[in-house]
Amino acid sequence: MANSSEHPGTPRTASPASTTPPGWDELPDWEKRYRAPRVGFPEWAEDVPDRSLFVSNVGGTFELYTWDRASDTRRQATNRPNGTVDGTLTPDGSHLWWFDDTDGDEFGVWRRQPFAGGVDETAVPGLAPAWSAGLALGRDGTAVVGRMTEQEGTTVHLVPAGGEPVEIYRHRESAGVGDLSRDSRLIALEHTEHGDTMHAALRVVDREGRTVAELDDTRGGTEPLGLSVWGFSPVPGDHRLLVGHQRGGHWAPMIWDPTTGRSEEIGIDLPGDVHADWYPDGSALLVVHDHHARGELYRWPLAPLGGSDAHGGTAGAGGPLERIDTPAGSMFGAGVRPDGTVEYLWSSAAEPPRVCSTAGGVVLEAPGPSAPPSVPLRDTWVEGPGGPIHVLVQTPPGEGPFPTVFDIHGGPAAHDSDAFAAQPAAWVDHGFAVVRVNYRGSTGYGREWTDALKHRVGLIELEDIAAVREWAVTEGPADPERLVLSGGSWGGYLTLLGLGVQPELWTVGVAAVPVADYVTAYHDEMEALKALDRTLFGGTPEEMPEQWRASSPITHVEEVKAPVFISAGVNDPRCPIRQIENYVERLAARGAPHEVYRYDSGHGSLVVEERVKQTRLEIGFALRHLPATAD
């Protein structure tokens, strides 16, 4: 993302009026889904909730927009060639902080601009560019800035209002800023000093960096149990921290008071992962339930604080759990307004996203036409070598078997959901069935399922994908002669690895921003990912050479039979370009059919036109190389 020479804070009002651009009706539906203006979930300033911030593509690139709800004034706050999506508002709503990197390399500094618009300024002049490791902003003007560099590892700086940054934390391993207490006295950190970046421990420190309390379910890295900071209490004088834990095998909430050491798990009887956030008055938790690729919302009332001081009592007790009425699908952002109503961003595979409220209706819309709907998905479960695998399937009209794309999700700590996505919908529009696999390593199916990929990196996921392929061609929608293995990021990595490890199974491969040469990728990638890779493999490439070799696509490049399409961002810090070029050179030396598309950005593009172009290239490549349908 380029540093802009102009001032992106110049006011621009985005009218909510609907306008249809010229030529819209002539566009195919798949392009309309990319080009249709959309808005992200609007987060608001804690103390001035009429001031909100959201991401939108209304100008053709995903950028940050401010929204004054009282006057319904919307303003494009950032304006850079490769887009901007990382930003937040100060609690008093006076300023927007946004992260400024160079052409998608994710290495940069925080900028600040007034909410109403104006000149951007460097938010913390004393801090050099780095990869972001979190940010927390206090009501008194305090900022806590997390940074990571190859030379320093992780550092955390406290910046008092009008003052210079002071380092309060440093460690070679990965860590991040979790939250800042309401009175700005305590800072919650997630850290992996024990060396397991998949399972963080928590530390709360004071403004001088002195440890107040520790919470470590990993027992120094010997137990695979992680913790996550979900936020300090919003109640004045209350230093309790809402924490996510995995003690029961799934994510669940607990309340921990670092000043007393008292903690209480909240026994919410729901299957799957349960995440939570505070109601603004601390009277309840907003519960987000993620189960089998769909989301639900609940309210969990908390018992009033009791005991002899503000920190006693059993405030985690309470209930019963109250269901909040939402449609079937997935939620990507939810929050409680001061009046107790809940706003949430919802979509399903068939219906485009919308920002809704429990008060009724749509809260925020982008100007312009809506995205056309797609087809609903259906669920199936396939027995795999590690247990049942959840599979999400979309099919075009007509009778199969269909050419089928196995659209493999990235992460790997992520999962596919019943949510609207332009890319799989585009494949369906071109006559493909789309099969998405929540393989071992995916989140949402329990800690053991997520952790299963460690030390057999890539290979265990491919076992699950192969099992689903077998189902798809024997019982499902797939034509076995026309199978596309495709994915981006980790999904791109699995695509290239699968083409080499399972060459007889796939007709065509389409990999976006992949890991291709894992050892070179390790040496070139951003520091936090180096730490993750050491966790996955149990050490560096020099320490565990056989494991790295077995899991690297370039090791198996001589076995690849399918034509391969690869897209790569030349500034990608996660899957760097050099290791992709190494893989491509090996393909070229063999005379293997392949195409490479390089674009001037990082790990994916925020430019709508670029996304459309890449999808057109990917689908076009597959159609050219798949055999024709038999008459």
Side-chain angles (χ1 to χ4, degrees):
M1 299 180 188
N3 294 318
S4 178
S5 58
E6 59 181 295
H7 298 307
T10 304
R12 298 189 186 126
T13 300
S15 169
S18 178
T19 57
T20 300
W24 178 262
D25 292 338
E26 285 71 44
L27 292 173
D29 280 355
W30 76 265
E31 284 198 35
K32 290 178 181 178
R33 294 190 195 96
Y34 280 104
R35 299 182 187 280
R38 64 178 62 184
V39 294
F41 180 71
E43 300 179 359
W44 50 86
E46 294 173 87
D47 294 338
V48 188
D50 274 347
R51 294 192 166 188
S52 294
L53 178 71
F54 63 91
V55 173
S56 178
N57 69 338
V58 70
T61 300
F62 286 89
E63 296 283 2
L64 296 169
Y65 287 74
T66 61
W67 175 30
D68 187 322
R69 296 181 181 224
S71 62
D72 196 23
T73 302
R74 310 175 197 183
R75 178 183 65 84
Q76 184 177 335
T78 55
N79 180 28
R80 303 190 302 153
N82 287 295
T84 317
V85 295
D86 195 356
T88 190
L89 295 176
T90 55
D92 64 3
S94 64
H95 286 81
L96 156 70
W97 285 51
W98 60 276
F99 193 73
D100 184 11
D101 65 353
T102 302
D103 295 328
D105 67 359
E106 302 182 44
F107 195 85
V109 299
W110 289 97
R111 308 286 187 197
R112 181 176 63 184
Q113 69 169 257
F115 180 85
V119 176
D120 285 289
E121 61 182 4
T122 303
V124 188
L127 293 181
W131 292 296
S132 176
L135 174 72
L137 302 177
R139 287 170 167 80
D140 63 352
T142 296
V144 183
V145 182
R147 305 167 62 254
M148 198 168 193
T149 67
E150 185 174 356
Q151 297 75 24
E152 299 174 294
T154 305
T155 59
V156 175
H157 293 77
L158 184 134
V159 189
E164 297 296 319
V166 177
E167 184 180 300
I168 61 171
Y169 177 86
R170 176 183 290 260
H171 200 276
R172 285 301 312 171
E173 294 291 345
S174 179
V177 177
D179 199 17
L180 179 65
S181 64
R182 181 184 172 96
D183 60 9
S184 296
R185 288 175 49 196
L186 301 179
I187 300 103
L189 306 174
E190 296 180 3
H191 73 82
T192 60
E193 295 175 5
H194 50 272
D196 182 354
T197 59
M198 295 180 68
H199 305 97
L202 305 186
R203 179 175 301 149
V204 173
V205 301
D206 63 17
R207 294 175 66 90
E208 285 71 44
R210 296 174 298 212
T211 298
V212 174
E214 299 264 6
L215 194 61
D216 182 7
D217 280 4
T218 76
R219 298 184 183 179
T222 63
E223 295 285 342
L225 292 172
L227 296 166
S228 180
V229 173
W230 290 353
F232 277 106
S233 168
V235 178
D238 182 4
H239 289 122
R240 293 174 303 151
L241 186 65
L242 184 62
V243 170
H245 70 90
Q246 297 178 302
R247 297 169 185 174
H250 291 263
W251 283 107
M254 63 181 288
I255 293 177
W256 174 47
D257 188 338
T259 65
T260 66
R262 178 177 295 174
S263 65
E264 181 175 2
E265 297 177 23
I266 299 174
I268 296 176
D269 186 18
L270 290 171
D273 286 340
V274 174
H275 297 265
D277 197 4
W278 299 93
Y279 268 63
D281 60 0
S283 65
L285 298 179
L286 175 64
V287 173
V288 182
H289 177 221
D290 186 0
H291 183 54
H292 291 173
R294 291 169 181 84
E296 300 176 313
L297 298 179
Y298 293 85
R299 182 179 184 273
W300 176 268
L302 296 174
L305 285 168
S308 58
D309 58 36
H311 307 295
T314 56
L321 195 63
E322 303 166 3
R323 173 73 186 273
I324 297 172
D325 187 29
T326 58
S330 295
M331 252 67 66
F332 295 93
V336 185
R337 298 287 293 167
D339 63 0
T341 59
V342 177
E343 294 181 357
Y344 56 93
L345 178 63
W346 173 91
S347 75
S348 71
E351 298 182 61
R354 57 181 184 259
V355 181
C356 303
S357 171
T358 54
V362 174
V363 175
L364 178 66
E365 294 181 282
S370 298
S374 185
V375 299
L377 59 78
R378 62 183 179 90
D379 303 69
T380 192
W381 291 83
V382 174
E383 192 60 39
I389 307 162
H390 192 193
V391 183
L392 309 178
V393 182
Q394 291 173 279
T395 54
E399 296 293 326
F402 303 102
T404 299
V405 57
F406 286 73
D407 185 16
I408 309 303
H409 72 73
H415 64 271
D416 279 316
S417 298
D418 183 8
F420 196 77
Q423 187 171 40
W427 287 99
V428 172
D429 283 7
H430 283 82
F432 287 79
V434 177
V435 174
R436 288 183 279 177
V437 183
N438 282 332
Y439 51 76
R440 279 173 290 174
S442 303
T443 57
Y445 300 88
R447 176 180 55 79
E448 291 185 4
W449 189 262
T450 301
D451 290 353
L453 64 88
K454 289 177 63 175
H455 311 308
R456 293 193 61 234
V457 180
L459 302 172
I460 201 166
E461 300 99 295
L462 290 179
E463 291 177 359
D464 289 354
I465 294 168
V468 174
R469 179 202 178 278
E470 178 64 19
W471 163 83
V473 300
T474 56
E475 303 176 47
D479 179 346
E481 303 301 319
R482 296 184 293 162
L483 300 180
V484 180
L485 185 60
S486 178
S489 190
W490 195 265
Y493 158 63
L494 293 177
T495 295
L496 296 185
L497 187 64
L499 296 178
V501 173
Q502 305 165 335
E504 305 297 333
L505 300 188
W506 310 108
T507 317
V508 173
V510 177
V513 291
V515 174
D517 172 0
Y518 218 142
V519 173
T520 301
Y522 173 81
H523 291 297
D524 289 358
E525 69 193 5
M526 60 197 301
E527 198 65 21
L529 290 185
K530 289 183 180 179
L532 173 60
D533 285 338
R534 291 193 296 271
T535 295
L536 290 175
F537 286 99
T540 67
E542 293 71 30
E543 293 167 337
M544 311 293 287
E546 290 306 312
Q547 287 87 337
W548 284 79
R549 182 182 181 281
S551 295
S552 181
I554 202 169
T555 302
H556 311 281
V557 68
E558 304 298 328
E559 307 303 319
V560 173
K561 297 181 178 181
V564 187
F565 180 89
I566 298 174
S567 60
V570 297
N571 300 306
D572 191 343
R574 298 173 180 265
C575 299
I577 189 70
R578 183 168 70 105
Q579 52 95 26
I580 293 174
E581 301 290 10
N582 292 347
Y583 184 89
V584 170
E585 288 175 7
R586 294 279 293 275
L587 283 177
R590 290 180 50 216
H594 69 281
E595 291 181 18
V596 183
Y597 174 68
R598 303 167 183 85
Y599 58 96
D600 188 19
S601 189
H603 197 62
S605 178
L606 299 175
V607 180
V608 171
E609 191 64 39
E610 181 62 42
R611 293 186 175 188
V612 171
K613 180 179 181 180
Q614 290 181 29
T615 298
R616 185 183 295 117
L617 290 171
E618 291 170 354
I619 295 177
F621 181 88
L623 291 173
R624 288 195 306 275
H625 289 279
L626 288 175
T629 306
D631 293 331

